[in-house]
């Protein structure tokens, strides 16, 4: 799909389709890791969904993805960053990530986690994220706030999908 990229605020009405998108996007990596559970992958999103933290990614007015940005006292977490597979590889993910990284974080670094072996890790590394820690399932990455030095580790870990 080609066209103008934009964000729109998320609402509670978006929960079901985002949960489905999450299941589609994460399935290959979760299956490779032996962790895919069709019910759990959706339930984990629905239990954690906060519309106020979530932006829907649009291309030419069509919903193609989502990203959540959750600040806490120490870091700003980038969570639930999912893009329709048909839109992947077209620059939309890089555009959305650049928009998020341009936000004022009040000096806090960005943190996120990605599944081991996920192709998404290359996108994050191209945008300045570095390894903070990892385990057999998750890789935790961090990126300093603008003007700050790289940080050594993430301060909070999300439970495995």
């Amino acid at each position: 799909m080609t066209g103008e990229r934009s964000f729109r605020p998320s609402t509670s009405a978006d929960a079901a389709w985002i949960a489905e998108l999450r299941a589609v996007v994460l399935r290959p990596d979760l299956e490779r890791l032996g962790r895919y559970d069709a019910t759990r992958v959706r339930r984990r999103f629905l239990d954690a969904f906060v519309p106020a933290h979530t932006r829907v990614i649009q291309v030419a007015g069509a919903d193609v993805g989502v990203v959540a940005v959750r600040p806490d006292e120490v870091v700003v977490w980038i969570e639930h960053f999912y893009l329709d597979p048909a839109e992947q590889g077209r620059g939309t993910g890089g555009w959305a990530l650049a928009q998020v990284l341009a936000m004022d974080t009040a000096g806090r670094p960005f943190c996120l986690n990605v599944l081991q072996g996920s192709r998404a890790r290359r996108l994050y590394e191209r945008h300045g994220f570095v390894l903070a820690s990892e385990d057999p399932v998750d890789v935790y990455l961090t990126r300093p706030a603008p003007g700050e030095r790289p940080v050594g580790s993430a301060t909070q870990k999300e439970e495995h999908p």
Side-chain angles (χ1 to χ4, degrees):
M1 180 180 303
T2 60
E4 184 177 335
R5 296 173 177 134
S6 60
F7 287 117
R8 72 165 174 82
S10 182
T11 69
S12 58
D14 292 313
W17 78 263
I18 296 172
E20 286 304 310
L21 178 62
R22 180 181 199 264
V24 168
V25 170
L26 293 183
R27 185 175 187 152
D29 287 328
L30 289 171
E31 285 181 338
R32 179 179 42 75
L33 294 167
R35 308 274 304 193
Y36 184 76
D37 177 312
T39 301
R40 186 170 188 246
V41 72
R42 291 167 178 86
R43 175 58 39 207
R44 294 232 21 239
F45 172 78
L46 294 170
D47 289 347
F49 180 51
V50 178
H53 292 164
T54 307
R55 302 175 192 177
V56 174
I57 303 164
Q58 295 187 308
V59 175
D63 297 342
V64 299
V66 63
V67 61
V69 180
R70 182 180 55 83
D72 70 20
E73 298 80 30
V74 180
V75 301
V76 175
W77 285 94
I78 298 174
E79 302 173 318
H80 305 299
F81 189 5
Y82 313 121
L83 195 61
D84 185 309
E87 192 61 29
Q88 293 175 12
R90 298 173 180 248
T92 302
W95 171 86
L97 185 57
Q99 301 304 305
V100 168
L101 296 176
M103 69 182 274
D104 180 9
T105 65
R108 293 170 290 186
F110 288 97
C111 294
L112 57 81
N113 71 300
V114 63
L115 292 168
Q116 284 284 1
S118 172
R119 293 182 355 225
R121 181 175 178 176
R122 289 190 304 271
L123 169 69
Y124 302 131
E125 289 172 341
R126 283 194 308 269
H127 284 267
F129 282 84
V130 295
L131 179 66
S133 66
E134 62 186 316
D135 62 36
V137 176
D138 289 307
V139 176
Y140 295 89
L141 303 173
T142 189
R143 182 181 188 273
E148 298 291 322
R149 293 177 167 260
V151 294
S153 64
T155 58
Q156 176 183 349
K157 293 183 180 180
E158 182 179 315
E159 197 177 303
H160 301 298

